[in-house]
Amino acid sequence: MTVSLSGMHVLVDDPDAALSFYRDTLGLTVRNEVARDGFKWITLVTDSQPEVAIVLSQPHAGRSKENGDALAALLAKGELLMVQLRADDLDATFDRIVSSPGVEVLQEPASQPWGVRDCAVRDPAGNMVRIEQKK
């Protein structure tokens, strides 16, 4: 039996700003975009792993008002789980990121004690995004 990663969801408050960051800044490709009941789900993939999808969705999409409000509050505080990515050229990727609107730098590229070189930023929704150098 084989189990593999097929995708992950990233909550965002502004799908268009998030799309600009993940597509235009990081270079992901839009596979699908679905609008329903006033909300948007955007599925993106990378060229190197097209079988693994990142789905951008809003806190209230497909959820009760109470649960959506709770998730929106966590998103606003930057308390949701981080997104971890890998880049061939960390420095060039970081340079592109810092020129993108709505991005907060948390850590410039640095070698970590756990053996990777990475950086950390917050996407326009406030999610922490860590990007490590591909070995």
Side-chain angles (χ1 to χ4, degrees):
M1 177 172 77
T2 301
V3 176
S4 60
L5 182 64
S6 67
M8 63 176 288
H9 282 254
V10 177
L11 291 178
V12 299
D13 51 358
D14 181 342
D16 294 325
L19 179 60
S20 178
F21 175 73
Y22 287 95
R23 180 193 59 202
D24 303 336
T25 301
L26 294 181
L28 278 63
T29 301
V30 175
R31 179 189 289 165
N32 196 11
E33 189 170 333
V34 176
R36 183 175 171 198
D37 299 328
F39 299 106
K40 226 189 268 193
W41 290 263
I42 304 168
T43 304
L44 300 121
V45 297
T46 66
D47 291 341
S48 61
Q49 292 178 301
E51 71 281 3
V52 179
I54 295 176
V55 181
L56 305 176
S57 63
Q58 295 158 283
H60 289 89
R63 295 178 183 87
S64 69
K65 178 171 177 6
E66 179 182 18
N67 289 342
D69 288 349
L71 288 171
L74 290 171
L75 177 62
K77 292 182 191 180
E79 292 295 325
L80 296 176
L81 298 175
M82 78 174 102
V83 178
Q84 290 183 269
L85 302 172
R86 184 174 295 135
D88 288 334
D89 185 338
L90 181 62
D91 294 312
T93 302
F94 182 77
D95 289 344
R96 281 186 66 174
I97 290 170
V98 297
S99 67
S100 178
V103 175
E104 175 189 354
V105 174
L106 299 174
Q107 175 209 302
E108 294 187 9
S111 295
Q112 302 297 344
W114 53 89
V116 300
R117 184 166 181 272
D118 71 357
C119 68
V121 299
R122 289 203 185 276
D123 72 10
N127 295 297
M128 181 190 291
V129 179
R130 291 197 79 88
I131 304 173
E132 71 178 45
Q133 175 77 42
K134 187 175 182 178
K135 294 181 181 187

